[in-house]
Amino acid sequence: MARDLSKIRNIGICAHIDAGKTTVSERVLYYTGKIHKMGEVHEGTATMDFDEEEQKRGITIQSAATTCPWDRNGEEYTINLIDTPGHVDFTVEVERSMRVLDGAVAVFDGKEGVEAQSETVWRQATKYNVPRLCFINKMDKVGADFDFSFNSIRERLGAPAVAVQISIGQASTFRGMIDLIRGVAMYYKLDDDKDKGKTIIEKPIPEEEKERYEKWRHDMIEKVAETDDALMEKYLNGVEPTEDELRTAIRAATLAFKMHPVFCGSALKYVGVQRLLDGVIDYLPAPTDIPTITGHDPREMDTEIVRKTTPDQPFVGIVFKIVNDQHGDLTYVRVYSGTIEKGTRVLNSTRDKRENISRMFQMHASDRNPVDTAEAGDIVACIGIKEALTGDTLCDQDHPIVLEKMTFPETVISMSIEPKTAADKQKLGEALTTLKREDPTFQASYDEETGQTIISGMGELHLEILRNKLTRDHKVEVIVGKPKVAYKETITGSAQRVRGKHIKQSGGRGQFGDCTINIEHFDPTNVDPEDLKEWGWADGIAFENKVFGGSIPKEYIPSIEYGIRMAAKTGVLANYPLINAKITLVDGSYHPVDSSQIAFELAGQLAFRDACTKAGITLLEPIMKLVITTPEDFVGNVTGDVSKRRGIIVNSDQRGNTRIVEAEVPLSEMFGYTTELRSMTTGRASSVMEPLKYAPVPNSVRNAILEEVG
Ligand SMILES: Nc1nc2c(ncn2[C@@H]2O[C@H](COP(=O)(O)OP(=O)(O)OP(=O)(O)O)[C@@H](O)[C@H]2O)c(=O)[nH]1
Ligand SMILES: [Mg+2]
């Protein structure tokens, strides 16, 4: 039986670390009847944080998906929900979720309002055009402040936030919310632990809240009217809009990114999550709200293809997550168009490979429920797919199309690992390949010179978790080195007409490759995307061919480019990848017998190395954005310490007795910082850090690094 796609909501929950995403998700599972006993993060029993490591640490590491029903005004809806981690080391989990979800709930801590990571995940949602609602959580917490948190959304995120609820009381006086659309007060039994938010007592707006209510309701109506001409006319004539008119207009404005409706509550105390679910249904998009998707013809990348997002179309989906499992890889697919049945063969149009979908499941955290078909709008986990990677498009074999890819941040930190025994050595390669498939922000490479394997990732915690996974899931014991910064190289100037010749002509068939290149510093921002495509912009290197006609035969040009790209990967100064350079091939020569692909590859490498040296090379290091929250008493110590670490304070905000210090600090100075900050402030300050940019290493530090590399 055909399902009604307008009754589906694919949503993600995203926020700064510890804002309460998993607690909100846990309540959602409870109220939708998915679980009967509510799990708690602080007790290590949350359903969505099912991984051992997550339960031990009380944080989310991998995103978890579930499907649950929700009744809204007597109609049954299906909510596919993904809970994401807040820790920046696992940002890829947010990235992939935002790529495939139709809507999101951004959760905020009611005391802190917008925090450093709130900004990051907000940007990620904006990048993939995801409409969102806001939920101001923790209204019960000491220091909770609705007005402050709400204003921080408008001011710090610059977002058109509009409250559809306001809190009644806050912190110890928190009792419930006022629904600004219906004009009623909703009280919860916060003192009764057994009630779990099931009893909601509705009353008229109490006298002492009337003024606040009028003010917020007026603000809401005014903002909604600004997005809707018919409502504006009524508003100007002093006519009150009806509930339905308001909801319809808010929905339209939310889908058009003109508005973010704001809800509030306390997930821990079971307040507000049911009304938030109503909001998800009322204001977030169904798959049918995105009537078409656009992709490209894989054989003809300039040709755009537009598909309707209905089940009767040829199948298209995107792979957004791969989880290794004892029965093979579980490949998560979001279906955008058409229908797919188990046992079908599909095309991976990104890689031009065919794959079998042998079985499919609907996921509930770590549990799975077999299904035979999946349709446009569905999220399923498949077994049988062998080679697809995150971001690949799967489609009907007869109707090829490639959808927009995902982009992932660069790794900033690396560590050497060595297998403990010969048996471990054998298993290591395979285990690393599996981990790389699961996590696009994890890299592993083997260093021929030292015989060591280098793994790299997004931060210390990321590498620690991966290392534990090796031991726990893959049973590989390894000895690890100290984490190191992933430096990069770049050129400081330019060089013209640098020649690379690889010529050997002594007896038998010789080797002859000869090319001349220009090199210059390159910044891809503000460059025409068509040019970037033409120049194969990847891994920080652009290559343009200006040799037409006789001096080098056409078939050798790709060999030169390949040689250059390979040389760039291992750098010129100290084995770090060289980035942000454009190479132009301007001349060359060949030999009718001795020229070969390999000879031109080597010529390209030689020319590149020489050209870089002539242009001047410098080392780049990752600079982190560091945000420290500290009591006023410790500000002097904390900022002094940041300066010692070559850090620059860029902002300092006072909030009551707390100072929020924002700084830019080189990652190399930040190892073990969390522990040191704790001891410096008797455990009362906290910090978060995320990669900001790469910047040149000062000379004094540079020499020390080069000495260490040898
Ligand atoms: N006071 C109070 N505490 C809450 C509330 N919601 C969550 N918490 C607590 O805040 C802590 C973090 O909650 P989580 O749900 O794990 O937060 P999260 O956003 O999923 O965290 P990460 O996934 O690690 O980013 C836990 O100890 C929760 O019990 C709330 O409404 N009020
Ligand atoms: Mg969580």
Side-chain angles (χ1 to χ4, degrees), residues 343-373:
T344 328
R345 227 167 138 66
V346 295
L347 173 70
N348 176 342
S349 49
T350 311
R351 270 161 233 290
D352 196 21
K353 294 253 159 64
R354 271 146 232 271
E355 297 268 18
N356 279 323
I357 299 200
S358 47
R359 285 189 291 158
M360 291 191 296
F361 301 95
Q362 209 172 52
M363 297 302 290
H364 169 51
S366 58
D367 294 339
R368 51 183 83 171
N369 186 11
V371 290
D372 292 337
T373 58

Side-chain angles (χ1 to χ4, degrees), residues 56-258:
K56 205 171 68 193
R57 295 168 191 265
I59 60 165
T60 306
I61 293 169
Q62 55 198 7
S63 52
T66 189
T67 299
C68 40
W70 187 242
D71 186 302
R72 177 77 175 128
N73 294 335
E75 304 223 31
E76 179 140 319
Y77 287 79
T78 301
I79 299 177
N80 292 316
L81 175 123
I82 295 186
D83 175 27
T84 65
H87 198 290
V88 64
D89 282 19
F90 312 111
T91 185
V92 63
E93 296 289 297
V94 181
E95 192 78 17
R96 54 170 136 231
S97 304
M98 291 306 138
R99 170 67 183 85
V100 298
L101 292 168
D102 300 325
V105 174
V107 179
F108 299 89
D109 181 312
K111 173 169 178 259
E112 312 295 340
V114 170
E115 298 174 82
Q117 272 303 105
S118 328
E119 295 180 29
T120 311
V121 298
W122 192 265
R123 273 200 308 271
Q124 282 172 302
T126 305
K127 172 172 155 194
Y128 292 112
N129 293 324
V130 179
R132 66 223 89 130
L133 308 182
C134 302
F135 183 68
I136 300 179
N137 187 32
K138 303 201 184 182
M139 283 311 302
D140 64 299
K141 187 174 152 182
V142 181
D145 185 336
F146 179 83
D147 289 18
F148 166 79
S149 299
F150 178 86
N151 288 334
S152 74
I153 302 175
R154 276 202 184 157
E155 282 156 20
R156 288 195 53 188
L157 299 177
V162 174
V164 294
Q165 286 181 342
I166 53 172
S167 73
I168 303 175
Q170 48 200 20
S172 60
T173 61
F174 180 58
R175 294 291 171 270
M177 293 88 67
I178 291 175
D179 182 331
L180 297 175
I181 294 178
R182 291 168 57 223
V184 293
M186 302 179 289
Y187 293 90
Y188 287 72
K189 290 189 163 178
L190 276 107
D191 304 328
D192 181 355
D193 241 13
K194 291 209 188 67
D195 189 64
K196 307 232 183 294
K198 276 181 280 187
T199 313
I200 304 170
I201 303 152
E202 293 198 353
K203 290 187 182 166
I205 314 281
E207 204 51 48
E208 67 275 16
E209 295 285 355
K210 279 223 164 102
E211 203 184 314
R212 247 181 101 227
Y213 164 69
E214 292 300 342
K215 174 188 151 287
W216 282 98
R217 179 164 159 103
H218 182 263
D219 179 71
M220 173 185 76
I221 294 179
E222 191 180 65
K223 292 284 179 322
V224 178
E226 278 168 17
T227 68
D228 185 302
D229 290 346
L231 270 190
M232 183 53 101
E233 205 176 313
K234 279 193 167 184
Y235 173 73
L236 292 175
N237 291 325
V239 184
E240 282 282 302
T242 65
E243 283 178 29
D244 278 348
E245 279 172 341
L246 280 172
R247 287 204 187 93
T248 309
I250 293 174
R251 178 177 181 81
T254 307
L255 299 192
F257 307 98
K258 288 182 191 153

Side-chain angles (χ1 to χ4, degrees), residues 18-23 41-42 59-60 86 137-138 140 266-268:
D18 263 0
K21 299 170 289 291
T22 303
T23 309
V41 175
H42 57 267
I59 60 165
T60 306
N137 187 32
K138 303 201 184 182
D140 64 299
S266 160
L268 188 70

